[in-house]
Amino acid sequence: MQRIRMSLPYFSAFGWEPTAVMIDPKYTDLPTDILLNEEIPTNIKIHHVKALQKKWTSKVGLGSIALRALWFYKKKVNQLLKKEKFDLIYFSTTQFPVLILGAYWKKKFSIPYVVDMQDPWYSTYYDDKPKAERPAKYWFSSRLDKHLEPIAMNHVDGLISVSQAYLDTLNKRYPRLKSLPQQVITFGAYQKDFELVQKNKYQFELPFRKTDGLTHLVYVGRGGNDMKEALNLLFKGFKKGLANQYELFSKIRFHFIGTSYAPAGKGIQTIMPIANAMGISAYVEEQTDRIPYFQGLFTLLNADGLIVIGSNDAQYTASKVYPYILAEKPLLAFFHPESSAAKIIKECKAGEVFSLKNEHLAIDEIIHELYLMLLGKKKTTINWSVFEQYSAKNLTKKQCELFNNVLDAGNLPNN
């Protein structure tokens, strides 16, 4: 959703006139944020589709918004394609089941489609992990993904991804993709969102209590067992600092917010168990409930320092890395060394990046960085000229260039 929202103001500048089809927000169980519509140009056509009510489908174990809305997407887009001429269909979502409609529309209407891979679809990452560490309903979702992914990938005409590793996996799995237009395009940085937050700052409340005399370090984003290594690294550094300089390090408070995708009140904590095991729970707070996007930006802006926790999966890239940079706060990031997010932070000199593969070298450096944050001596010196390449406008241009390449290839009606 964020990719499309940030691109809509710029598509026309590069020769593309978009029409968006989205699920009516009333059918989701996530927090809504009316400010998300503020920067969308008024001339953009937006169509809303229904979804089956979750209160009924959950009785048979079906909660996925993608599956609940699949038939309604098919119906609405069929109507649009019969009525108007479109050059291309662009899927940019992590609600992957919807992507199978691309093959259907391509066959029925001879229209190419492009898929934006923001996360892995069918993944074997959790196959060798203990059952307790696997996502809810993993057995069902994994088998569904294994069946559905080929339907979309065997007919797709172009790929965009936030990670080269995602493309490498798909190219190996589906050799036909190697001949298609494809490019790594990260999410765009959208400064206007921060301007909107500042303009409406009195509408927001912090999701934690900010106490004078303490240093509040914040992470807003998902948790998960794949982030254990990053959390262990951060907490080991903090615990050692606490042992060496208790009076100073005891002033740190860590806040992890929105760590679960589960409905409000039903999330399972994945950070606090680690803090409890290490004996530092008095300094750590975890809120599993998600918060609206703009409240998240407001929270980053009002933190004393920011923490970005990454996965031990080399393919993982944090889609929210740009807001952390734009907040212009002291930043500590913990990533797999091959993560694209680590590369971006280093390039822009936006913060300190710690590799999950060099724990013995990182602990003392973490202590030093936390020490500087506590003393207020950690300054941000972001290289904005380098960062400009990641602006939403520049990355929208790259999307449009790929769209043009897909049309030039002309692989219709079927690949």
Side-chain angles (χ1 to χ4, degrees), residues 41 47 110 145 147 172 207 222 260 265 304 307 311 349 381 401:
H47 300 272
S110 294
D145 293 346
H147 174 71
K172 183 177 180 180
R222 79 164 181 88
S260 173
D304 297 310
I307 306 291
S311 171
K349 298 181 179 179
T381 55
E401 289 171 349

Side-chain angles (χ1 to χ4, degrees), residues 223-242:
N225 289 300
D226 60 324
M227 296 181 170
K228 277 185 177 180
E229 291 182 24
L231 289 162
N232 277 322
L233 190 56
L234 169 63
F235 289 161
K236 283 181 180 179
F238 168 69
K239 188 173 182 179
K240 186 175 179 180
L242 195 64

